[in-house]
Amino acid sequence: MIEVSRQTRHFLADAYLSFVFWTVLTSLGLCIWYFPLWHMGISGYEVALFADMAPVLLGIPALRRVLRRHRGISAALSLAGIIAYATPNPERRLLGVTIGTAGAMLGLGSALYEDRVSGTGRLDRSIQAWEAGLLLSVALRMFFQTNNPVWATMNEVNGGWNKTGIALGLLALADVVTRRSDEHAEVRAAKRSDLPPTAATAQRRAAWVPTGLGFGALLFTLHSMYSDSAIIGRWSWDGYPSTGPAPVPWGGLVATALAGGFSVGHRLELATGMLWWSVASAGACAITLVPGWSGFAGGLVLAAYVGSVTRSILHAVARSPPGRTFFVGVLWYNVLVLAHVWVVAYEFVPGGPLLRERTWVVMLATMLSLYAGVRAARASLVDRPGGARHTAVVTAAGPRSDRRRARGVVWAAAILGWAAMIARLPAATRSPVPFHEPERLITAAIWTVHFDLDNDMWLAENRIIDAVRDLEADVMGFLESDTERIIMGQRDWTQRVAEELGYYVDYGPSPRKHTWGCAMISKFPIVNSTHHLLPSPVGELACAIHATLDVHGRPVDVIISHNGQEENPLDRRLQTTELARIMRESVNPFIFTGYVVTKPHAENYKILYDQGRIHDIDPTDSDRWCQYIGYRGLKRVGYARVSRGTITDTEIQVGKFAVPQPGEDISAWAPSYKRVDEAHYAPEYHFPRVFRGKGVRGHFYHVFKEPRYFD
């Protein structure tokens, strides 16, 4: 009984340190992204990405011996990635996460290499702990609405549990450094009883290149597709009426698929078979190209496949030369990460046009690399020269008690994820209530939120929530909002906004549409929404949401859009012309909120407002460049501009409108440009007073110093 308890304690400690592995790995890209985001281009800090190349050092025998004897070294280094939150300085936090990533990768590499001795079962225990750590990370992020509460971008203010995470990490570290020496005796005995290297072993060593490629593809797929439960759901999102799964509760299926795959990983012949890879490739094709439930189902199949081959590929890595294999594997992982970014950031990076809007190329390279790694693993673990099968390895994937323990933790994490989904379901499915129904008002706003990463490298959705709540916005557009990429942390911050404030949410064009994102939240039911990829022959791909809302019983159309950069005038003109066409062809009252990049009354301004048959909310506001609001068929009540605080580099613009009665003829409606005092309207029509004067949390009425009201 004592022996079982000790082994369980060791496994839980290893699983938690694996959770730390996934925590620092998923936070590294997010911390790096902060710097090019504010530099608007390559910043130099991107070199930190290559901290994960640290396992290359395992090619040095002396270092391998040190890490074998003192496993606490790599574990302690990995904890630097979560302790980093304690410094407010972004550069120092990035340094801490960089060190943590290097330590975590060293820990993984040394565990695979040093635990590979047959007869001990330690390699399987290390792999099982790594798998469990991933699922624990996914489950915890379900509870925290896709954030990891111990990231270095979290703190006490925005919902972090950093101190708890550090305390648990120190306990796990203490377990590692105080483990009894009988494990080393166990390894020495197993080494003595090992057979000398055979010709087959030497032959298997030759497969280190495909093994490395397979490892890189495995790590990339788990990170880019399955490090959070919402990723493949957002990949398959295609607007309203919804034809696919909502993140809550169906994200639980992602954890279930991963757990199922991990649970059958010891069946090496099944996992490494050509048929299973072919089925997974069909799933990869579906999640890349097909929206709705069909695409999501393909993503689940791919999750099960990747889970099932994890053990085989890591076994093959353990049987290969560590320095060379990790060099190929991690370098290939980094290439795939950069390619995964290049498909959307092509305008800002060298060689970008080669991968412009080609996610399918990245997925194809990933699946081919997985195939290479799996075939190398099969040759190493299953096949024998002459066609025989190495059945001992297939049937003896470690002691049964180890497998039961690992499965218990893995499935407990999956069940924990479902518990999070069930707990969040009431908030995610409640019917939103508009702010001023008796007055038939709709308050619409637009805000470029810079990927929910504030000026000081903290996640900002808690402050975004406070600002939206204080604004009393019924409909709000968020630009630069797609955070379902490795460099943004693979998260969906709109879930938290929608659940805590009670909104319907349209995430906008899915990550596989290659835009920077535009999202919409609405207190009114979204009857229909269409995601547009605006003409962008030269620059970055511009996006728009065209939605029809049921506003107080009357259909009202809304556009949320983000045009291209100032440097691409052709793109901006074509994009503005397309937006004007969409608005011109609608027969409903209309609200436009978008990022236009033009001076008031310039050419693109005239295209938007004149050809789109809409009115400027305030034609006298000459101090605009990016964001604009327009309308048609509604009575404009007021217009305000609210400062950004330290959340982003762009202000909030907000308009308040009265909606005509159902059936009321609006064909003769014309805007009034007569300004009136606030007292002209009843208090229910007023903008919030909290933003007057110095405002609150850095948000205050600026430019005009107060809202403007119109007759």
Side-chain angles (χ1 to χ4, degrees):
M1 184 59 116
I2 296 175
E3 181 72 7
V4 171
S5 176
R6 180 177 61 83
Q7 290 294 338
T8 300
R9 187 181 74 247
H10 294 340
F11 182 81
L12 292 176
D14 289 342
Y16 185 79
L17 290 172
S18 296
F19 162 79
V20 172
F21 171 97
W22 289 106
T23 296
V24 296
L25 186 69
T26 53
S27 65
L28 178 64
L30 180 58
C31 292
I32 293 173
W33 171 240
Y34 167 85
F35 296 96
L37 179 62
W38 287 98
H39 283 82
M40 291 296 290
I42 302 273
S43 66
Y45 290 95
E46 293 81 3
V47 70
L49 173 66
F50 294 93
D52 55 19
M53 297 289 291
V56 171
L57 299 175
L58 294 174
I60 304 172
L63 179 62
R64 286 205 307 269
R65 287 194 294 272
V66 170
L67 291 176
R68 182 183 70 235
R69 294 169 184 167
H70 307 285
R71 288 201 169 186
I73 293 176
S74 57
L77 288 173
S78 70
L79 292 181
I82 60 176
I83 296 173
Y85 96 99
T87 175
N89 180 275
E91 288 85 359
R92 292 174 184 169
R93 257 185 292 150
L94 174 60
L95 177 61
V97 173
T98 302
I99 293 171
T101 302
M105 290 297 293
L106 268 177
L108 173 64
S110 60
L112 292 179
Y113 186 75
E114 298 301 338
D115 290 348
R116 66 199 169 109
V117 179
S118 61
T120 65
R122 293 183 64 193
L123 178 58
D124 278 301
R125 290 198 292 270
S126 293
I127 294 172
Q128 290 158 356
W130 194 69
E131 296 169 343
L134 173 62
L135 268 171
L136 288 170
S137 172
V138 171
L140 192 64
R141 292 179 67 172
M142 290 181 182
F143 273 105
F144 284 84
Q145 295 154 313
T146 80
N147 285 334
N148 186 317
V150 296
W151 273 340
T153 54
M154 301 290 287
N155 56 33
E156 295 88 344
V157 176
N158 63 10
W161 282 28
N162 310 79
K163 292 178 181 177
T164 302
I166 293 170
L168 292 173
L170 292 175
L171 289 175
L173 176 61
D175 181 87
V176 170
V177 300
T178 60
R179 286 180 187 175
R180 288 165 50 182
S181 59
D182 56 357
E183 288 191 351
H184 301 294
E186 181 185 51
V187 172
R188 288 194 296 270
K191 284 182 176 179
R192 283 195 299 270
S193 63
D194 249 5
L195 294 175
T198 64
T201 303
Q203 204 170 32
R204 288 196 294 271
R205 285 286 183 98
W208 61 271
V209 172
T211 297
L213 293 174
F215 172 72
L218 172 71
L219 187 61
F220 172 74
T221 308
L222 290 174
H223 188 176
S224 66
M225 302 295 290
Y226 303 111
S227 57
D228 179 64
S229 64
I231 299 171
I232 63 171
R234 288 314 189 195
W235 270 52
S236 58
W237 173 249
D238 203 32
Y240 286 85
S242 178
T243 58
V248 179
W250 301 115
L253 292 176
V254 176
T256 303
L258 280 174
F262 290 148
S263 296
V264 300
H266 64 286
R267 299 180 178 274
L268 301 184
E269 285 203 71
L270 170 66
T272 59
M274 178 69 176
L275 178 61
W276 186 210
W277 177 84
S278 300
V279 172
S281 296
C285 183
I287 189 58
T288 305
L289 302 174
V290 182
W293 275 102
S294 298
F296 183 75
L300 294 178
V301 170
L302 182 59
Y305 173 77
V306 173
S308 70
V309 301
T310 296
R311 188 169 303 178
S312 302
I313 291 177
L314 294 184
H315 264 282
V317 170
R319 290 169 175 246
S320 303
R324 286 176 286 170
T325 306
F326 275 103
F327 175 79
V328 171
V330 182
L331 181 62
W332 182 234
Y333 161 78
N334 287 335
V335 168
L336 292 173
V337 168
L338 292 174
H340 153 96
V341 176
W342 256 232
V343 297
V344 65
Y346 50 83
E347 187 178 10
F348 306 101
V349 295
L354 294 174
L355 282 172
R356 173 175 175 159
E357 302 172 50
R358 292 185 172 91
T359 290
W360 67 269
V361 172
V362 180
M363 185 63 80
L364 177 63
T366 301
M367 293 307 298
L368 291 176
S369 302
L370 280 173
Y371 178 76
V374 165
R375 296 308 295 177
R378 187 178 182 88
S380 174
L381 304 172
V382 179
D383 294 339
R384 282 286 197 183
R389 288 286 187 266
H390 189 10
T391 55
V393 176
V394 178
T395 58
R400 288 180 181 269
S401 60
D402 287 350
R403 255 203 335 267
R404 283 197 299 269
R405 183 188 304 111
R407 285 181 182 174
V409 174
V410 161
W411 282 103
I415 293 169
L416 189 66
W418 275 108
M421 295 290 94
I422 294 170
R424 290 172 53 194
L425 190 59
T429 56
R430 62 177 168 168
S431 297
V433 178
F435 283 102
H436 298 287
E437 282 192 284
E439 294 77 23
R440 300 185 60 78
L441 292 178
I442 177 172
T443 302
I446 186 73
W447 196 7
T448 305
V449 293
H450 243 27
F451 308 101
D452 181 42
L453 194 62
D454 76 10
N455 301 12
D456 300 309
M457 206 170 84
W458 302 110
L459 298 190
E461 64 258 35
N462 63 307
R463 292 196 290 149
I464 292 174
I465 287 170
D466 290 338
V468 173
R469 181 189 294 114
D470 291 341
L471 278 169
E472 297 184 350
D474 294 298
V475 178
M476 192 156 187
F478 297 110
L479 306 179
E480 297 180 4
S481 58
D482 184 2
T483 48
E484 289 288 13
R485 294 191 183 278
I486 284 176
I487 56 173
M488 290 90 163
Q490 296 285 19
R491 56 201 170 87
D492 177 9
W493 61 276
T494 64
Q495 289 184 39
R496 183 177 173 189
V497 176
E499 290 176 25
E500 294 195 12
L501 297 183
Y503 282 94
Y504 300 103
V505 61
D506 186 337
Y507 189 79
S510 81
R512 60 193 175 95
K513 296 293 182 68
H514 313 105
T515 77
W516 293 118
C518 51
M520 181 185 71
I521 55 174
S522 172
K523 288 286 187 179
F524 300 103
I526 304 173
V527 178
N528 182 77
S529 67
T530 304
H531 301 157
H532 294 270
L533 302 181
L534 302 176
S536 308
V538 179
E540 62 183 350
L541 197 59
C543 61
I545 300 173
H546 174 205
T548 300
L549 311 180
D550 181 0
V551 182
H552 306 303
R554 179 143 197 170
V556 174
D557 283 9
V558 175
I559 274 185
I560 314 293
S561 71
H562 190 316
N563 284 12
Q565 297 296 309
E566 179 183 2
E567 294 80 5
N568 301 310
L570 174 62
D571 285 21
R572 290 188 289 115
R573 180 163 53 81
L574 294 174
Q575 292 157 5
T576 306
T577 301
E578 176 65 8
L579 290 171
R581 181 197 66 78
I582 295 170
M583 293 186 288
R584 183 174 62 248
E585 294 178 357
S586 171
V587 298
N588 296 327
F590 216 111
I591 298 174
F592 169 84
T593 62
Y595 193 101
V596 185
V597 192
T598 187
K599 293 180 179 179
H601 309 289
E603 180 186 3
N604 284 340
Y605 174 98
K606 292 176 181 177
I607 292 174
L608 181 74
Y609 286 99
D610 296 344
Q611 296 184 20
R613 296 195 298 111
I614 61 171
H615 309 288
D616 190 351
I617 196 167
D618 186 358
T620 67
D621 182 3
S622 60
D623 186 22
R624 289 176 293 175
W625 173 248
C626 295
Q627 296 178 159
Y628 285 81
I629 297 177
Y631 70 103
R632 180 180 71 222
L634 303 167
K635 175 178 170 52
R636 173 194 47 191
V637 173
Y639 166 54
R641 297 174 67 172
V642 180
S643 62
R644 57 187 172 83
T646 59
I647 294 176
T648 176
D649 63 354
T650 311
E651 66 175 4
I652 307 169
Q653 289 188 11
V654 56
K656 198 176 287 284
F657 307 91
V659 181
Q661 294 287 341
E664 182 179 350
D665 183 14
I666 61 173
S667 59
W669 277 40
S672 167
Y673 292 106
K674 178 183 177 183
R675 295 264 305 277
V676 297
D677 293 333
E678 187 176 68
H680 180 81
Y681 288 102
E684 293 79 10
Y685 290 77
H686 296 174
F687 285 96
R689 299 192 63 81
V690 70
F691 298 116
R692 288 188 176 273
K694 294 183 178 180
V696 60
R697 298 179 305 277
H699 301 297
F700 52 88
Y701 296 122
H702 74 151
V703 183
F704 320 130
K705 306 302 181 185
E706 62 181 5
R708 287 182 171 179
Y709 294 90
F710 301 86
D711 186 12

